[in-house]
Amino acid sequence: MLAVGVSLITLALEISVVDAVQQGTAHDVVDVVVAVVLFGAVPAAVIGSVGAVIVHFVTREASSQWPAVVLAAALGLVAGLIVWSGDFGVAVLLVTATGVGRLAVLPCARRRTA
């Protein structure tokens, strides 16, 4: 769940930065982060858990971790396009968030030998 949590926080920060740029002010950054985390926690946990299982089973025989990071990012794109009905901008933010989330658990992964 560490990867899902990191992904959610990353997405919240990304959305708050986009909002600040669009509004021309950073006054709402904390509010946006809190709102995204509160309203996104359950969907992120559900979708992220499914994605984590897929990444695990597809990449469990890989000798390095980079395929898992790339697959997590790709699944983030697919989930973003499905959840946000084709809003490519938000889906790209989710690609970054899922990739960062998967990178966060690299130290936790057992070393794989080929």
Side-chain angles (χ1 to χ4, degrees), residues 22-105:
Q22 289 176 347
Q23 300 296 326
T25 179
H27 294 306
D28 299 348
V29 169
V30 174
D31 295 337
V32 172
V33 169
V34 170
V36 171
V37 170
L38 285 176
F39 293 111
V42 172
V46 172
I47 296 168
S49 297
V50 171
V53 169
I54 293 169
V55 168
H56 171 73
F57 282 111
V58 171
T59 64
R60 67 181 167 185
E61 298 297 324
S63 61
S64 68
Q65 293 292 319
W66 72 264
V69 174
V70 171
L71 180 59
L75 289 173
L77 177 64
V78 171
L81 291 173
I82 291 170
V83 171
W84 281 289
S85 301
D87 186 349
F88 192 72
V90 178
V92 169
L93 296 179
L94 195 55
V95 168
T96 306
T98 54
V100 168
R102 184 59 180 91
L103 283 171
V105 297

